[in-house]
Amino acid sequence: METYGLEKFDSIILASGENFADALSGSYLATVKKAPILLCYNETYNRKAVDYICANLKTGGTVYILGGSAAVSDKVDLMLEAYQVRRFAGKDRFDTNLMILEEAGVTQGQTVLVCTATGYADSLSASATGLPILLVGSSLTAEQRSFLSNVGGSITIIGGTSAVSSSLESQLRSYGSVSRLAGSTRYETSVKVAQRFFSNPYTAVLAYAKNYPDGLCGGPLAYTMGAPLILTDSNYHPARNYTLTTSIMGGYVLGSGELISNEAARWIFSMNRTEPLPSV
């Protein structure tokens, strides 16, 4: 809450920690509502999430639940009767994505980021930008076409053609100007996102590149600090090369040292340069 400058939240978002699509769709909603994203997993973690909500959400505040009962148990709704509860659950992740964006209120002419719905890496990097993320498959659905027609802004594809195909890119050109940010790896794409959307930041958030749970909540945190979310692991060189071109001298690491080592984090943030470089 200190990061947001609030004593208590007006809204809090709940999403499954066992899948990435709903939580990453919710990153823009989190930006608009100045709300954190909490992850649900099982009864123990659901109870912890409810306890956090009771301690940190204003009386009469809103809890947004992303996904159906298979994602976040209906039992959670029953534990939140003191609050306004709104659940967004479509027939699939594309439908849920659009429901979330509609609630967030994407304005006409706004930049929209387009990411694949079948992989998490690109949308994880994008989640720190504070921009709406549209998750796509092999082609645009009728509902997605309608959404893009109403927005009519610029479109930025995150990821290469193996993620968002050239054919789909051609479809997108009917709805606005289209550009693509793509590196040869997820690490390099993450850096390209940082370079495009963050002007000489002073801090960064590091997330593990080969799995998503630790990073799912990191995008909204990074956005509030004006910091990019950089994907890394033992292959820390793209992240380090990026920070050396900025004023970044520190930041946050999401997850344990077994995923992103302390040594790699210190080198990425240009600290303790007398230490030997971590092996890759």
Side-chain angles (χ1 to χ4, degrees):
M1 285 184 292
E2 292 179 2
T3 304
Y4 290 91
L6 301 172
E7 292 185 5
K8 284 197 171 185
F9 295 110
D10 293 311
S11 306
I12 291 178
I13 298 169
L14 292 180
S16 171
E18 296 184 276
N19 207 329
F20 61 86
D22 296 337
L24 293 177
S25 294
S27 63
Y28 181 61
L29 180 65
T31 295
V32 171
K33 301 297 182 180
K34 295 185 178 180
I37 298 177
L38 305 181
L39 300 181
C40 295
Y41 172 60
N42 57 26
E43 288 190 14
T44 298
Y45 287 98
N46 291 352
R47 182 71 256 178
K48 289 182 178 180
V50 170
D51 289 344
Y52 180 89
I53 290 169
C54 292
N56 295 285
L57 184 63
K58 290 181 179 178
T59 302
T62 302
V63 179
Y64 294 98
I65 300 179
L66 310 184
S69 57
V72 179
S73 170
D74 289 335
K75 294 179 180 179
V76 174
D77 300 61
L78 299 176
M79 292 188 283
L80 294 169
E81 291 181 340
Y83 305 99
Q84 299 181 58
V85 177
R86 301 195 63 189
R87 183 186 286 266
F88 300 108
K91 61 182 183 294
D92 54 30
R93 62 183 57 190
F94 306 106
D95 197 26
T96 300
N97 176 219
L98 288 175
M99 293 172 71
I100 294 168
L101 292 180
E102 181 179 356
E103 174 64 22
V106 181
T107 58
Q108 189 171 21
Q110 188 165 4
T111 297
V112 174
L113 307 184
V114 174
C115 302
T116 178
T118 59
Y120 62 86
D122 297 332
S123 50
L124 196 60
S125 298
S127 67
T129 64
L131 294 171
I133 297 173
L134 181 68
L135 299 179
V136 298
S138 58
S139 63
L140 294 175
T141 67
E143 293 81 7
Q144 288 172 334
R145 291 177 184 275
S146 177
F147 167 78
L148 290 169
S149 294
N150 291 329
V151 174
S154 64
I155 298 167
T156 302
I157 299 170
I158 310 298
T161 54
S162 61
V164 178
S165 70
S166 298
S167 173
L168 196 143
E169 180 177 349
S170 296
Q171 295 177 43
L172 291 170
R173 294 191 183 281
S174 299
Y175 303 97
S177 61
V178 178
S179 61
R180 184 188 290 267
L181 296 176
S184 59
T185 65
R186 63 185 58 192
Y187 310 95
E188 292 178 7
T189 297
S190 177
V191 167
K192 286 182 178 293
V193 171
Q195 291 170 331
R196 168 70 67 86
F197 294 106
F198 297 87
S199 178
N200 201 31
Y202 290 93
T203 188
V205 175
L206 305 181
Y208 186 56
K210 294 180 180 177
N211 209 337
Y212 56 82
D214 290 331
L216 284 184
C217 304
L221 169 68
Y223 175 76
T224 62
M225 299 185 297
L229 190 151
I230 304 294
L231 299 184
T232 192
D233 49 34
S234 59
N235 181 12
Y236 66 91
H237 293 285
R240 182 171 187 268
N241 291 339
Y242 165 69
T243 61
L244 290 176
T245 67
T246 70
S247 298
I248 293 173
M249 293 295 290
Y252 295 85
V253 183
L254 307 178
S256 72
E258 295 179 359
L259 301 179
I260 302 173
S261 72
N262 293 335
E263 293 79 12
R266 283 194 288 268
W267 272 97
I268 290 169
F269 292 137
S270 302
M271 302 165 66
N272 293 346
R273 295 195 177 205
T274 58
E275 293 186 21
L277 289 172
S279 60
V280 176

